[in-house]
Amino acid sequence: MTTPTIQLNDGHQIPAIGFGTFQIPDDGTTYQAVKDALAAGYRHIDTAVAYFNEDEVGRAVRNSGIPRDQIWITSKLWLQDFGYEAASRAIDKSLQQLGLDYIDLYLIHQPYGDVPGAWRAMEDAKKAGKLKSIGVSNMTPKIWNQFVPQFTTMPSVDQVEFNPYFQQTELRAILKAHDVKLEAWAPLGQGNQDLMHEPVITQLAEKYGKNAGQIILRFENQEGIVVFPKSVHEARIKSNLDIFDFDLTADEVAQLRTLDKGQGQHDPDAPGVKEMLLGAFDVHAND
Ligand SMILES: NC(=O)C1=CN([C@@H]2O[C@H](COP(=O)(O)OP(=O)(O)OC[C@H]3O[C@@H](n4cnc5c(N)ncnc54)[C@H](OP(=O)(O)O)[C@@H]3O)[C@@H](O)[C@H]2O)C=CC1
Ligand SMILES: O=C(O)C(=O)[C@@H](O)[C@H](O)C(=O)CO
């Protein structure tokens, strides 16, 4: 099966569904999960320096036997490495950890600090062929307006929390105006059981002979959102990709839109977020 793609504003085609790797440990579990995902047909893997598993992602990709140009790899620059010089070094380190010559999409992971300096380093790495597409993550409308007007080039994506409980209405209008695609993190609400048991979702699952996760992911896909659900279970890895043999009607999409609560689990605008994140993820702990 070939996964459908979505065109980015720089002309590249990103697979509309990928595989997420946050919180998958680097004890062989990431290697196995990515291997299972590639075998199931995923051709898009989302990782980050701060997930501490780039090495296993890269090894699974390199050992897959699948031509490199058929797999889309996203990684992300951690906020300890912002500013031009540090970001340039961190891009080379990510390439080295992945064991790859280029990264398809590279993101400003958390938008605090010298974001414009990091962005310039990413623009130069793109010109050098080390990165194919570049984008941002966790930019709310407020943070977008703070930083993006300082950029020379428009990001290709903004990767933010998105699921039926948090549909990012205000941000989507801004991104649409700039032809920037929204990528969903936590597309399954990180397995939120309330979401999985929403009556509208369970009714649609029964109608289409699908599970709740498949209804949620198909809804997001039909909304034009790029998704990359994470799982370490082979059955879920397979079922999360099996969403293209049915279409939700316009009325059903409208019903799912009503689940929006307008806020998520993580608020990038909240005071102290940068310090919380720096305390949680130290990518230089072993330097
Ligand atoms: N840019 C950013 O700041 C962030 C980016 N991300 C990226 O987005 C990806 C996806 O987000 P993530 O936070 O992992 O959350 P997801 O919404 O993908 O949910 C993952 C959780 O749901 C469970 N799950 C997976 N499939 C199903 C299913 N079909 N039914 C029920 N439960 C299921 C998984 O458990 P199990 O593994 O046991 O199956 C896991 O606990 C990440 O892996 C990462 O790549 C995530 C967070 C922040
Ligand atoms: O998973 C990621 O990519 C993250 O950046 C996480 O830190 C996430 O944003 C989070 O844990 C917020 O509380």
Side-chain angles (χ1 to χ4, degrees), residues 126-260:
K126 185 176 185 220
K127 283 183 202 140
K130 297 177 182 180
L131 311 174
K132 298 285 185 194
S133 295
I134 54 177
V136 298
S137 178
N138 292 301
M139 282 203 179
T140 59
K142 184 176 166 195
I143 298 173
W144 179 276
N145 290 329
Q146 179 187 351
F147 288 121
V148 176
Q150 301 178 53
F151 293 178
T152 314
T153 52
M154 191 50 69
S156 287
V157 307
D158 188 3
Q159 181 180 120
V160 293
E161 185 176 0
F162 183 97
N163 57 63
Y165 279 165
F166 186 26
Q167 298 185 31
Q168 297 276 11
T169 322
E170 186 188 351
L171 180 67
R172 281 164 84 188
I174 295 172
L175 299 185
K176 190 174 176 193
H178 295 287
D179 187 25
V180 176
K181 297 298 177 222
L182 191 148
E183 293 195 325
W185 66 253
L188 297 170
Q190 299 186 319
N192 181 330
Q193 287 303 300
D194 290 342
L195 177 62
M196 296 289 167
H197 290 97
E198 279 290 343
V200 59
I201 292 176
T202 53
Q203 282 157 22
L204 290 169
E206 192 169 326
K207 172 180 171 183
Y208 289 107
K210 291 285 173 183
N211 62 41
Q214 289 168 319
I215 297 299
I216 293 166
L217 294 168
R218 183 60 170 151
F219 162 66
E220 293 165 345
N221 170 260
Q222 287 187 218
E223 291 285 70
I225 308 290
V226 180
V227 295
F228 23 83
K230 168 264 175 185
S231 178
V232 291
H233 297 102
E234 199 179 352
R236 280 181 176 169
I237 290 172
K238 284 182 178 165
S239 83
N240 288 341
L241 186 63
D242 181 18
I243 60 167
F244 297 108
D245 60 354
F246 71 106
D247 290 309
L248 298 165
T249 66
D251 185 48
E252 290 162 352
V253 168
Q255 285 177 52
L256 289 163
R257 285 179 182 162
T258 68
L259 295 177
D260 188 17

